[in-house]
Amino acid sequence: MGALVEAKQAALAALLAGLGDMPAFAGAARAAALARVQGQGLPVKRDEYWRYSDPSRLTTPQAKAGVAVEDAGFEGIDALRIVFVDGVFDAGASDDLGSAGVEITLLSKAGGDHWAGADFGVLEAEGQVPVARPLAGLNTAFAAEGVLIRATGAASRPVALVHRQTRADSDVMLHHVIRVEEGASLTLLESGTGGARFNHVAEVLVGEGAAFHHIRVQGRDEARAALTHLFARVGAEGLFKSFTLTMNGSLTRNEAILTLAGDDGVAHVAGAAIGDGAFHHDDTVFVTHQALRCESRQVYKKVLKGGAVGVFQGKILVKQGAQKTDGYQISQSLLLDDDSQFLAKPELEIYADDVKCSHGSTSGAIDETALFYLQSRGVPEPVARHLLILAFLADAMAEIEDEAIAEHLGSLLRRWQGMAED
Amino acid sequence: MLEIKNLHVKLEEEDKVILKGVNLTIEPGTVHAIMGPNGSGKSTLSYVLAGRDGYEVTDGSASLEGEDLLTMEPEERAAAGLFLAFQYPVEIPGVGNMTFLRTALNAQRKARGEAELSAGDFLKLARSTAASLKIDADMMKRPVNVGFSGGEKKRNEIMQMALLQPKMCVLDETDSGLDVDAMKLVSEGVNALRDAGRSFLVITHYQRLLDHIKPDVVHIMADGRIIQTGGPELALEVENNGYADLLAGGK
Ligand SMILES: Nc1ncnc2c1ncn2[C@@H]1O[C@H](COP(=O)(O)OP(=O)(O)OP(=O)(O)O)[C@@H](O)[C@H]1O
Ligand SMILES: [Mg+2]
């Protein structure tokens, strides 16, 4: 045990030495976060919470160099684009921040009296219990850039964060705070690599009767290491939906920490991941129900081949009094060969007696009978496989509500899989 | 049209020999029926023709219009004009019927060097073909065979056949699971496709289907061989007396 603590502290000391000063905005929250991280140390492989994914690439003082990749950024979808290049805001490539009918401020430009000062780091701090998430705390303490978005009505168009990478060794931290006020609605799109190493935190407050949709595309670079945290608190009758499509990347861990705080709230998180070779993809989800009649859904699908590894750690915690909770969780993998593996740890912890919760996890191969049936009708084998892969991913993709965006992601998938456009 | 010579097939994984020298020649424009006891190898023959994995051809040949079938991929056989209506049509959750059919038809057309159908033209064709087999539009929107009743699946097979317009149609127990009206409907669908350039191989256990789809030639298969070949009267004999005499005579 002593050795573990020492290792965690040593990793932290080495990393901190390379980081600059903490930015001034939300200084108290940042100082508190740093103090917490200093108590926790950085994650190491021996941590229970990192049992299936080795965090060492995320905690070394320097990022391992990776390939810079192009990102089209939801091409053809009408959205307000905010472009970050290696973590730095690119004003020239971005749209007018006022053009989506919501308030947007860059984190680096926010003054002491900005509304987000009260929210910055709050959900992240709450999300440290019961599981320590030191790299999210580190992000709160040191992230110098990000967006602060407040929607007070229906946004006139989606806001798209485009994460470009030009330098092979860029080590990027971004921190966003998003407030969707009572009855308001916002769609947030995200795409791109962001950096060779990407530490990304978003804190999302969904007000009463508000709706927040998040659609993210990560890929299709080989070398990226990314850790993302999505913290959200959903108010009464609020709606939160997040979907992530991932293709390749040597290490990706997407954490979602969601709290259903008001009665009749809804939170859905879903992911579709396709990996080949040195691909390690980890979805770690923690959903807390603490109000009446809330619904949560976790739908994760992974297609793995060439030795790729998929991980799912998902928990539903139903607190005392959260009656009539409807919690659902499914994680499935399609293993295209014998070298790939899927590790799943589904958990339910329930302290209320009148709830409906279910979870399931499966691993399987392509259905050879279905493949033959398609081929026997003239569908070429690669196309038949592609159709079956799409069919496997369908339940996760169905979590995207907007048809145009769903179609866009569908065509990305076809392109990534080498299928001609029709 | 179809020429099968001395076909020997064993299971790839086991030392089990299933087809022990099948000979069969089907002329263009004719309908052949195969009957035979359970387990005699009828479905195996249809799968081997269509190119399913798991079987090993140890001897013999099979060709379609002179082209060697056995070296082709299943999709190439389909594009060359072979169609198998499955004894047990496969359910494919998540793949829409329409997407599937359009992909299949256009892939075949492309493989033959023909122009692909536009979405609109395809839709029109699919709708009218489905209507002729009383398959409602709702079913077409569902995933392939998912939630279809046994009879609906069989009708869907014939609908696919009508849409793809193959030259050599192999029907494996398409009549099983069909009610009397559906049997008529399916038979009409098949008969509508009969023409000088198209042949059928109809596998069935019952004479009733052959009342509707009148065969030119009837074969009896037993233990991996065709042991007798005759006219429609052979099917009647099976219907009346079973296989005992035929098997005894065949040995
Ligand atoms: N993949 C397989 N594994 C094991 N045995 C098999 C396999 N495929 C076929 N067989 C065996 O081969 C024999 C022939 O089977 P087949 O399905 O071709 O018979 P059939 O004539 O179509 O019978 P039925 O009239 O019942 O449909 C049977 O004994 C069957 O058990
Ligand atoms: Mg059979």
Side-chain angles (χ1 to χ4, degrees), chain A residues 384-418:
Chain A
R385 280 186 189 279
H386 173 71
L387 284 176
L388 294 175
I389 287 171
L390 286 188
F392 169 76
L393 297 176
D395 287 348
M397 303 289 286
E399 290 291 330
I400 306 168
E401 272 184 25
D402 186 292
E403 271 183 36
I405 294 173
E407 181 41 45
H408 175 79
L409 264 59
S411 72
L412 257 184
L413 258 180
R414 283 195 288 279
R415 214 152 63 218
W416 284 351
Q417 295 221 73

PDB file of all heavy atoms in Angstrom, chain A residues 384-418:
ATOM      1  N   ALA A 384     -21.433  -6.890 -47.024  1.00  0.00           N
ATOM      2  CA  ALA A 384     -22.269  -7.663 -46.104  1.00  0.00           C
ATOM      3  C   ALA A 384     -21.755  -7.512 -44.671  1.00  0.00           C
ATOM      4  O   ALA A 384     -22.531  -7.293 -43.737  1.00  0.00           O
ATOM      5  CB  ALA A 384     -22.282  -9.132 -46.512  1.00  0.00           C
ATOM      6  N   ARG A 385     -20.439  -7.594 -44.513  1.00  0.00           N
ATOM      7  CA  ARG A 385     -19.859  -7.401 -43.180  1.00  0.00           C
ATOM      8  C   ARG A 385     -20.182  -6.014 -42.650  1.00  0.00           C
ATOM      9  O   ARG A 385     -20.535  -5.825 -41.485  1.00  0.00           O
ATOM     10  CB  ARG A 385     -18.335  -7.568 -43.215  1.00  0.00           C
ATOM     11  CG  ARG A 385     -17.920  -9.000 -43.202  1.00  0.00           C
ATOM     12  CD  ARG A 385     -16.409  -9.167 -43.093  1.00  0.00           C
ATOM     13  NE  ARG A 385     -16.088 -10.558 -43.303  1.00  0.00           N
ATOM     14  CZ  ARG A 385     -16.185 -11.490 -42.342  1.00  0.00           C
ATOM     15  NH1 ARG A 385     -16.510 -11.151 -41.104  1.00  0.00           N
ATOM     16  NH2 ARG A 385     -15.943 -12.744 -42.606  1.00  0.00           N
ATOM     17  N   HIS A 386     -20.028  -5.029 -43.531  1.00  0.00           N
ATOM     18  CA  HIS A 386     -20.309  -3.652 -43.140  1.00  0.00           C
ATOM     19  C   HIS A 386     -21.762  -3.499 -42.689  1.00  0.00           C
ATOM     20  O   HIS A 386     -22.038  -2.861 -41.671  1.00  0.00           O
ATOM     21  CB  HIS A 386     -19.994  -2.721 -44.314  1.00  0.00           C
ATOM     22  CG  HIS A 386     -20.395  -1.310 -44.078  1.00  0.00           C
ATOM     23  ND1 HIS A 386     -19.744  -0.496 -43.184  1.00  0.00           N
ATOM     24  CD2 HIS A 386     -21.401  -0.576 -44.593  1.00  0.00           C
ATOM     25  CE1 HIS A 386     -20.327   0.692 -43.176  1.00  0.00           C
ATOM     26  NE2 HIS A 386     -21.341   0.669 -44.017  1.00  0.00           N
ATOM     27  N   LEU A 387     -22.674  -4.103 -43.431  1.00  0.00           N
ATOM     28  CA  LEU A 387     -24.093  -4.024 -43.055  1.00  0.00           C
ATOM     29  C   LEU A 387     -24.322  -4.643 -41.677  1.00  0.00           C
ATOM     30  O   LEU A 387     -25.072  -4.120 -40.857  1.00  0.00           O
ATOM     31  CB  LEU A 387     -24.973  -4.752 -44.087  1.00  0.00           C
ATOM     32  CG  LEU A 387     -25.226  -4.040 -45.412  1.00  0.00           C
ATOM     33  CD1 LEU A 387     -26.030  -4.945 -46.346  1.00  0.00           C
ATOM     34  CD2 LEU A 387     -25.970  -2.728 -45.192  1.00  0.00           C
ATOM     35  N   LEU A 388     -23.641  -5.755 -41.423  1.00  0.00           N
ATOM     36  CA  LEU A 388     -23.824  -6.425 -40.132  1.00  0.00           C
ATOM     37  C   LEU A 388     -23.191  -5.622 -38.998  1.00  0.00           C
ATOM     38  O   LEU A 388     -23.701  -5.597 -37.877  1.00  0.00           O
ATOM     39  CB  LEU A 388     -23.261  -7.847 -40.181  1.00  0.00           C
ATOM     40  CG  LEU A 388     -24.014  -8.788 -41.126  1.00  0.00           C
ATOM     41  CD1 LEU A 388     -23.327 -10.145 -41.213  1.00  0.00           C
ATOM     42  CD2 LEU A 388     -25.471  -8.962 -40.667  1.00  0.00           C
ATOM     43  N   ILE A 389     -22.091  -4.940 -39.298  1.00  0.00           N
ATOM     44  CA  ILE A 389     -21.471  -4.078 -38.284  1.00  0.00           C
ATOM     45  C   ILE A 389     -22.397  -2.898 -37.974  1.00  0.00           C
ATOM     46  O   ILE A 389     -22.641  -2.565 -36.815  1.00  0.00           O
ATOM     47  CB  ILE A 389     -20.079  -3.598 -38.751  1.00  0.00           C
ATOM     48  CG1 ILE A 389     -19.089  -4.771 -38.678  1.00  0.00           C
ATOM     49  CG2 ILE A 389     -19.590  -2.426 -37.908  1.00  0.00           C
ATOM     50  CD1 ILE A 389     -17.737  -4.498 -39.312  1.00  0.00           C
ATOM     51  N   LEU A 390     -22.947  -2.289 -39.023  1.00  0.00           N
ATOM     52  CA  LEU A 390     -23.891  -1.193 -38.809  1.00  0.00           C
ATOM     53  C   LEU A 390     -25.091  -1.666 -37.997  1.00  0.00           C
ATOM     54  O   LEU A 390     -25.582  -0.960 -37.118  1.00  0.00           O
ATOM     55  CB  LEU A 390     -24.393  -0.637 -40.142  1.00  0.00           C
ATOM     56  CG  LEU A 390     -23.436   0.215 -40.957  1.00  0.00           C
ATOM     57  CD1 LEU A 390     -24.184   0.825 -42.130  1.00  0.00           C
ATOM     58  CD2 LEU A 390     -22.818   1.309 -40.102  1.00  0.00           C
ATOM     59  N   ALA A 391     -25.545  -2.877 -38.311  1.00  0.00           N
ATOM     60  CA  ALA A 391     -26.697  -3.421 -37.591  1.00  0.00           C
ATOM     61  C   ALA A 391     -26.351  -3.593 -36.115  1.00  0.00           C
ATOM     62  O   ALA A 391     -27.157  -3.297 -35.232  1.00  0.00           O
ATOM     63  CB  ALA A 391     -27.097  -4.769 -38.186  1.00  0.00           C
ATOM     64  N   PHE A 392     -25.127  -4.018 -35.860  1.00  0.00           N
ATOM     65  CA  PHE A 392     -24.686  -4.191 -34.477  1.00  0.00           C
ATOM     66  C   PHE A 392     -24.658  -2.847 -33.751  1.00  0.00           C
ATOM     67  O   PHE A 392     -25.007  -2.744 -32.573  1.00  0.00           O
ATOM     68  CB  PHE A 392     -23.295  -4.843 -34.466  1.00  0.00           C
ATOM     69  CG  PHE A 392     -22.634  -4.835 -33.121  1.00  0.00           C
ATOM     70  CD1 PHE A 392     -23.038  -5.729 -32.136  1.00  0.00           C
ATOM     71  CD2 PHE A 392     -21.625  -3.930 -32.834  1.00  0.00           C
ATOM     72  CE1 PHE A 392     -22.438  -5.708 -30.883  1.00  0.00           C
ATOM     73  CE2 PHE A 392     -21.023  -3.902 -31.588  1.00  0.00           C
ATOM     74  CZ  PHE A 392     -21.428  -4.796 -30.615  1.00  0.00           C
ATOM     75  N   LEU A 393     -24.231  -1.802 -34.459  1.00  0.00           N
ATOM     76  CA  LEU A 393     -24.105  -0.487 -33.822  1.00  0.00           C
ATOM     77  C   LEU A 393     -25.436   0.256 -33.722  1.00  0.00           C
ATOM     78  O   LEU A 393     -25.534   1.290 -33.058  1.00  0.00           O
ATOM     79  CB  LEU A 393     -23.115   0.385 -34.613  1.00  0.00           C
ATOM     80  CG  LEU A 393     -21.670  -0.107 -34.687  1.00  0.00           C
ATOM     81  CD1 LEU A 393     -20.845   0.818 -35.589  1.00  0.00           C
ATOM     82  CD2 LEU A 393     -21.044  -0.148 -33.284  1.00  0.00           C
ATOM     83  N   ALA A 394     -26.459  -0.288 -34.394  1.00  0.00           N
ATOM     84  CA  ALA A 394     -27.697   0.483 -34.581  1.00  0.00           C
ATOM     85  C   ALA A 394     -28.325   1.005 -33.284  1.00  0.00           C
ATOM     86  O   ALA A 394     -28.755   2.151 -33.224  1.00  0.00           O
ATOM     87  CB  ALA A 394     -28.711  -0.351 -35.361  1.00  0.00           C
ATOM     88  N   ASP A 395     -28.365   0.182 -32.251  1.00  0.00           N
ATOM     89  CA  ASP A 395     -29.008   0.630 -31.005  1.00  0.00           C
ATOM     90  C   ASP A 395     -28.304   1.831 -30.398  1.00  0.00           C
ATOM     91  O   ASP A 395     -28.932   2.693 -29.798  1.00  0.00           O
ATOM     92  CB  ASP A 395     -29.007  -0.495 -29.960  1.00  0.00           C
ATOM     93  CG  ASP A 395     -30.003  -1.573 -30.302  1.00  0.00           C
ATOM     94  OD1 ASP A 395     -30.826  -1.333 -31.205  1.00  0.00           O
ATOM     95  OD2 ASP A 395     -29.944  -2.642 -29.664  1.00  0.00           O
ATOM     96  N   ALA A 396     -26.979   1.867 -30.536  1.00  0.00           N
ATOM     97  CA  ALA A 396     -26.241   3.018 -30.008  1.00  0.00           C
ATOM     98  C   ALA A 396     -26.476   4.239 -30.900  1.00  0.00           C
ATOM     99  O   ALA A 396     -26.762   5.333 -30.410  1.00  0.00           O
ATOM    100  CB  ALA A 396     -24.749   2.703 -29.905  1.00  0.00           C
ATOM    101  N   MET A 397     -26.391   4.030 -32.219  1.00  0.00           N
ATOM    102  CA  MET A 397     -26.591   5.143 -33.151  1.00  0.00           C
ATOM    103  C   MET A 397     -27.998   5.735 -33.017  1.00  0.00           C
ATOM    104  O   MET A 397     -28.209   6.914 -33.279  1.00  0.00           O
ATOM    105  CB  MET A 397     -26.382   4.682 -34.601  1.00  0.00           C
ATOM    106  CG  MET A 397     -25.022   4.061 -34.905  1.00  0.00           C
ATOM    107  SD  MET A 397     -23.637   5.209 -34.922  1.00  0.00           S
ATOM    108  CE  MET A 397     -23.891   6.078 -36.456  1.00  0.00           C
ATOM    109  N   ALA A 398     -28.940   4.885 -32.618  1.00  0.00           N
ATOM    110  CA  ALA A 398     -30.332   5.345 -32.490  1.00  0.00           C
ATOM    111  C   ALA A 398     -30.486   6.384 -31.389  1.00  0.00           C
ATOM    112  O   ALA A 398     -31.508   7.056 -31.302  1.00  0.00           O
ATOM    113  CB  ALA A 398     -31.253   4.162 -32.222  1.00  0.00           C
ATOM    114  N   GLU A 399     -29.462   6.516 -30.553  1.00  0.00           N
ATOM    115  CA  GLU A 399     -29.527   7.523 -29.498  1.00  0.00           C
ATOM    116  C   GLU A 399     -29.299   8.943 -30.022  1.00  0.00           C
ATOM    117  O   GLU A 399     -29.450   9.914 -29.293  1.00  0.00           O
ATOM    118  CB  GLU A 399     -28.515   7.189 -28.389  1.00  0.00           C
ATOM    119  CG  GLU A 399     -28.888   5.952 -27.568  1.00  0.00           C
ATOM    120  CD  GLU A 399     -30.128   6.178 -26.693  1.00  0.00           C
ATOM    121  OE1 GLU A 399     -30.361   7.314 -26.263  1.00  0.00           O
ATOM    122  OE2 GLU A 399     -30.874   5.206 -26.472  1.00  0.00           O
ATOM    123  N   ILE A 400     -28.893   9.051 -31.290  1.00  0.00           N
ATOM    124  CA  ILE A 400     -28.756  10.382 -31.898  1.00  0.00           C
ATOM    125  C   ILE A 400     -30.141  10.783 -32.395  1.00  0.00           C
ATOM    126  O   ILE A 400     -30.696  10.117 -33.259  1.00  0.00           O
ATOM    127  CB  ILE A 400     -27.799  10.347 -33.100  1.00  0.00           C
ATOM    128  CG1 ILE A 400     -26.465   9.730 -32.689  1.00  0.00           C
ATOM    129  CG2 ILE A 400     -27.601  11.747 -33.669  1.00  0.00           C
ATOM    130  CD1 ILE A 400     -25.573   9.405 -33.881  1.00  0.00           C
ATOM    131  N   GLU A 401     -30.678  11.862 -31.862  1.00  0.00           N
ATOM    132  CA  GLU A 401     -32.052  12.226 -32.242  1.00  0.00           C
ATOM    133  C   GLU A 401     -32.134  12.955 -33.571  1.00  0.00           C
ATOM    134  O   GLU A 401     -33.038  12.738 -34.350  1.00  0.00           O
ATOM    135  CB  GLU A 401     -32.695  13.078 -31.148  1.00  0.00           C
ATOM    136  CG  GLU A 401     -33.359  12.216 -30.094  1.00  0.00           C
ATOM    137  CD  GLU A 401     -34.097  13.044 -29.056  1.00  0.00           C
ATOM    138  OE1 GLU A 401     -34.503  14.183 -29.358  1.00  0.00           O
ATOM    139  OE2 GLU A 401     -34.246  12.527 -27.931  1.00  0.00           O
ATOM    140  N   ASP A 402     -31.166  13.828 -33.814  1.00  0.00           N
ATOM    141  CA  ASP A 402     -31.217  14.648 -35.021  1.00  0.00           C
ATOM    142  C   ASP A 402     -30.881  13.803 -36.253  1.00  0.00           C
ATOM    143  O   ASP A 402     -29.804  13.220 -36.347  1.00  0.00           O
ATOM    144  CB  ASP A 402     -30.220  15.797 -34.878  1.00  0.00           C
ATOM    145  CG  ASP A 402     -30.310  16.774 -36.038  1.00  0.00           C
ATOM    146  OD1 ASP A 402     -29.941  16.401 -37.185  1.00  0.00           O
ATOM    147  OD2 ASP A 402     -30.756  17.902 -35.800  1.00  0.00           O
ATOM    148  N   GLU A 403     -31.815  13.764 -37.209  1.00  0.00           N
ATOM    149  CA  GLU A 403     -31.642  12.880 -38.363  1.00  0.00           C
ATOM    150  C   GLU A 403     -30.463  13.256 -39.247  1.00  0.00           C
ATOM    151  O   GLU A 403     -29.728  12.400 -39.729  1.00  0.00           O
ATOM    152  CB  GLU A 403     -32.919  12.845 -39.203  1.00  0.00           C
ATOM    153  CG  GLU A 403     -33.885  11.771 -38.736  1.00  0.00           C
ATOM    154  CD  GLU A 403     -35.115  11.686 -39.624  1.00  0.00           C
ATOM    155  OE1 GLU A 403     -34.978  11.885 -40.849  1.00  0.00           O
ATOM    156  OE2 GLU A 403     -36.198  11.418 -39.078  1.00  0.00           O
ATOM    157  N   ALA A 404     -30.287  14.563 -39.459  1.00  0.00           N
ATOM    158  CA  ALA A 404     -29.196  15.002 -40.327  1.00  0.00           C
ATOM    159  C   ALA A 404     -27.843  14.641 -39.713  1.00  0.00           C
ATOM    160  O   ALA A 404     -26.924  14.197 -40.407  1.00  0.00           O
ATOM    161  CB  ALA A 404     -29.288  16.511 -40.567  1.00  0.00           C
ATOM    162  N   ILE A 405     -27.746  14.809 -38.403  1.00  0.00           N
ATOM    163  CA  ILE A 405     -26.490  14.484 -37.724  1.00  0.00           C
ATOM    164  C   ILE A 405     -26.271  12.975 -37.731  1.00  0.00           C
ATOM    165  O   ILE A 405     -25.158  12.485 -37.980  1.00  0.00           O
ATOM    166  CB  ILE A 405     -26.494  15.053 -36.293  1.00  0.00           C
ATOM    167  CG1 ILE A 405     -26.492  16.590 -36.367  1.00  0.00           C
ATOM    168  CG2 ILE A 405     -25.301  14.550 -35.500  1.00  0.00           C
ATOM    169  CD1 ILE A 405     -26.657  17.272 -35.031  1.00  0.00           C
ATOM    170  N   ALA A 406     -27.329  12.227 -37.513  1.00  0.00           N
ATOM    171  CA  ALA A 406     -27.222  10.764 -37.539  1.00  0.00           C
ATOM    172  C   ALA A 406     -26.763  10.309 -38.926  1.00  0.00           C
ATOM    173  O   ALA A 406     -25.902   9.431 -39.057  1.00  0.00           O
ATOM    174  CB  ALA A 406     -28.558  10.126 -37.183  1.00  0.00           C
ATOM    175  N   GLU A 407     -27.320  10.921 -39.952  1.00  0.00           N
ATOM    176  CA  GLU A 407     -26.950  10.563 -41.326  1.00  0.00           C
ATOM    177  C   GLU A 407     -25.483  10.919 -41.587  1.00  0.00           C
ATOM    178  O   GLU A 407     -24.739  10.165 -42.217  1.00  0.00           O
ATOM    179  CB  GLU A 407     -27.892  11.267 -42.313  1.00  0.00           C
ATOM    180  CG  GLU A 407     -27.646  10.975 -43.787  1.00  0.00           C
ATOM    181  CD  GLU A 407     -27.326   9.508 -44.093  1.00  0.00           C
ATOM    182  OE1 GLU A 407     -27.995   8.594 -43.567  1.00  0.00           O
ATOM    183  OE2 GLU A 407     -26.357   9.288 -44.857  1.00  0.00           O
ATOM    184  N   HIS A 408     -25.065  12.076 -41.061  1.00  0.00           N
ATOM    185  CA  HIS A 408     -23.667  12.492 -41.208  1.00  0.00           C
ATOM    186  C   HIS A 408     -22.722  11.457 -40.584  1.00  0.00           C
ATOM    187  O   HIS A 408     -21.714  11.080 -41.177  1.00  0.00           O
ATOM    188  CB  HIS A 408     -23.478  13.855 -40.537  1.00  0.00           C
ATOM    189  CG  HIS A 408     -22.059  14.339 -40.516  1.00  0.00           C
ATOM    190  ND1 HIS A 408     -21.463  14.901 -41.627  1.00  0.00           N
ATOM    191  CD2 HIS A 408     -21.112  14.308 -39.550  1.00  0.00           C
ATOM    192  CE1 HIS A 408     -20.208  15.204 -41.323  1.00  0.00           C
ATOM    193  NE2 HIS A 408     -19.972  14.861 -40.076  1.00  0.00           N
ATOM    194  N   LEU A 409     -23.067  11.004 -39.393  1.00  0.00           N
ATOM    195  CA  LEU A 409     -22.223  10.014 -38.726  1.00  0.00           C
ATOM    196  C   LEU A 409     -22.253   8.678 -39.467  1.00  0.00           C
ATOM    197  O   LEU A 409     -21.243   7.981 -39.549  1.00  0.00           O
ATOM    198  CB  LEU A 409     -22.653   9.830 -37.261  1.00  0.00           C
ATOM    199  CG  LEU A 409     -21.840  10.653 -36.267  1.00  0.00           C
ATOM    200  CD1 LEU A 409     -21.926  12.138 -36.569  1.00  0.00           C
ATOM    201  CD2 LEU A 409     -22.277  10.386 -34.845  1.00  0.00           C
ATOM    202  N   GLY A 410     -23.417   8.351 -40.017  1.00  0.00           N
ATOM    203  CA  GLY A 410     -23.526   7.130 -40.805  1.00  0.00           C
ATOM    204  C   GLY A 410     -22.594   7.174 -42.009  1.00  0.00           C
ATOM    205  O   GLY A 410     -21.906   6.199 -42.319  1.00  0.00           O
ATOM    206  N   SER A 411     -22.534   8.330 -42.663  1.00  0.00           N
ATOM    207  CA  SER A 411     -21.681   8.409 -43.853  1.00  0.00           C
ATOM    208  C   SER A 411     -20.206   8.414 -43.455  1.00  0.00           C
ATOM    209  O   SER A 411     -19.363   7.881 -44.165  1.00  0.00           O
ATOM    210  CB  SER A 411     -22.058   9.610 -44.732  1.00  0.00           C
ATOM    211  OG  SER A 411     -21.667  10.799 -44.117  1.00  0.00           O
ATOM    212  N   LEU A 412     -19.901   9.004 -42.288  1.00  0.00           N
ATOM    213  CA  LEU A 412     -18.524   8.929 -41.775  1.00  0.00           C
ATOM    214  C   LEU A 412     -18.109   7.482 -41.561  1.00  0.00           C
ATOM    215  O   LEU A 412     -17.018   7.066 -41.961  1.00  0.00           O
ATOM    216  CB  LEU A 412     -18.459   9.608 -40.408  1.00  0.00           C
ATOM    217  CG  LEU A 412     -17.866  11.003 -40.311  1.00  0.00           C
ATOM    218  CD1 LEU A 412     -17.821  11.431 -38.855  1.00  0.00           C
ATOM    219  CD2 LEU A 412     -16.472  11.041 -40.917  1.00  0.00           C
ATOM    220  N   LEU A 413     -19.015   6.726 -40.962  1.00  0.00           N
ATOM    221  CA  LEU A 413     -18.757   5.310 -40.711  1.00  0.00           C
ATOM    222  C   LEU A 413     -18.499   4.560 -42.006  1.00  0.00           C
ATOM    223  O   LEU A 413     -17.583   3.746 -42.097  1.00  0.00           O
ATOM    224  CB  LEU A 413     -19.969   4.686 -40.038  1.00  0.00           C
ATOM    225  CG  LEU A 413     -19.916   4.436 -38.549  1.00  0.00           C
ATOM    226  CD1 LEU A 413     -21.217   3.814 -38.093  1.00  0.00           C
ATOM    227  CD2 LEU A 413     -18.749   3.536 -38.196  1.00  0.00           C
ATOM    228  N   ARG A 414     -19.341   4.845 -43.018  1.00  0.00           N
ATOM    229  CA  ARG A 414     -19.159   4.178 -44.307  1.00  0.00           C
ATOM    230  C   ARG A 414     -17.792   4.508 -44.874  1.00  0.00           C
ATOM    231  O   ARG A 414     -17.083   3.645 -45.374  1.00  0.00           O
ATOM    232  CB  ARG A 414     -20.248   4.608 -45.299  1.00  0.00           C
ATOM    233  CG  ARG A 414     -21.590   3.944 -45.058  1.00  0.00           C
ATOM    234  CD  ARG A 414     -22.525   4.111 -46.254  1.00  0.00           C
ATOM    235  NE  ARG A 414     -23.022   5.461 -46.409  1.00  0.00           N
ATOM    236  CZ  ARG A 414     -24.050   5.966 -45.723  1.00  0.00           C
ATOM    237  NH1 ARG A 414     -24.665   5.237 -44.827  1.00  0.00           N
ATOM    238  NH2 ARG A 414     -24.455   7.200 -45.930  1.00  0.00           N
ATOM    239  N   ARG A 415     -17.403   5.793 -44.769  1.00  0.00           N
ATOM    240  CA  ARG A 415     -16.117   6.214 -45.317  1.00  0.00           C
ATOM    241  C   ARG A 415     -14.977   5.550 -44.551  1.00  0.00           C
ATOM    242  O   ARG A 415     -14.030   5.045 -45.140  1.00  0.00           O
ATOM    243  CB  ARG A 415     -16.009   7.728 -45.221  1.00  0.00           C
ATOM    244  CG  ARG A 415     -15.248   8.326 -46.368  1.00  0.00           C
ATOM    245  CD  ARG A 415     -15.667   9.743 -46.671  1.00  0.00           C
ATOM    246  NE  ARG A 415     -15.396  10.644 -45.584  1.00  0.00           N
ATOM    247  CZ  ARG A 415     -16.219  11.641 -45.235  1.00  0.00           C
ATOM    248  NH1 ARG A 415     -17.349  11.820 -45.867  1.00  0.00           N
ATOM    249  NH2 ARG A 415     -15.921  12.441 -44.241  1.00  0.00           N
ATOM    250  N   TRP A 416     -15.077   5.576 -43.233  1.00  0.00           N
ATOM    251  CA  TRP A 416     -14.037   4.984 -42.413  1.00  0.00           C
ATOM    252  C   TRP A 416     -13.870   3.510 -42.705  1.00  0.00           C
ATOM    253  O   TRP A 416     -12.802   2.950 -42.586  1.00  0.00           O
ATOM    254  CB  TRP A 416     -14.382   5.173 -40.931  1.00  0.00           C
ATOM    255  CG  TRP A 416     -14.130   6.560 -40.436  1.00  0.00           C
ATOM    256  CD1 TRP A 416     -13.483   7.565 -41.103  1.00  0.00           C
ATOM    257  CD2 TRP A 416     -14.519   7.098 -39.172  1.00  0.00           C
ATOM    258  NE1 TRP A 416     -13.461   8.691 -40.321  1.00  0.00           N
ATOM    259  CE2 TRP A 416     -14.083   8.434 -39.141  1.00  0.00           C
ATOM    260  CE3 TRP A 416     -15.197   6.579 -38.076  1.00  0.00           C
ATOM    261  CZ2 TRP A 416     -14.295   9.262 -38.032  1.00  0.00           C
ATOM    262  CZ3 TRP A 416     -15.408   7.399 -36.982  1.00  0.00           C
ATOM    263  CH2 TRP A 416     -14.964   8.725 -36.966  1.00  0.00           C
ATOM    264  N   GLN A 417     -14.960   2.868 -43.072  1.00  0.00           N
ATOM    265  CA  GLN A 417     -14.894   1.431 -43.327  1.00  0.00           C
ATOM    266  C   GLN A 417     -14.610   1.123 -44.781  1.00  0.00           C
ATOM    267  O   GLN A 417     -14.735  -0.013 -45.218  1.00  0.00           O
ATOM    268  CB  GLN A 417     -16.192   0.775 -42.904  1.00  0.00           C
ATOM    269  CG  GLN A 417     -16.391   0.881 -41.424  1.00  0.00           C
ATOM    270  CD  GLN A 417     -16.936  -0.405 -40.895  1.00  0.00           C
ATOM    271  OE1 GLN A 417     -16.239  -1.402 -40.806  1.00  0.00           O
ATOM    272  NE2 GLN A 417     -18.191  -0.414 -40.576  1.00  0.00           N
ATOM    273  N   GLY A 418     -14.288   2.156 -45.538  1.00  0.00           N
ATOM    274  CA  GLY A 418     -13.912   1.931 -46.927  1.00  0.00           C
ATOM    275  C   GLY A 418     -15.083   1.626 -47.829  1.00  0.00           C
ATOM    276  O   GLY A 418     -14.930   1.059 -48.905  1.00  0.00           O
TER     277      GLY A 418
END
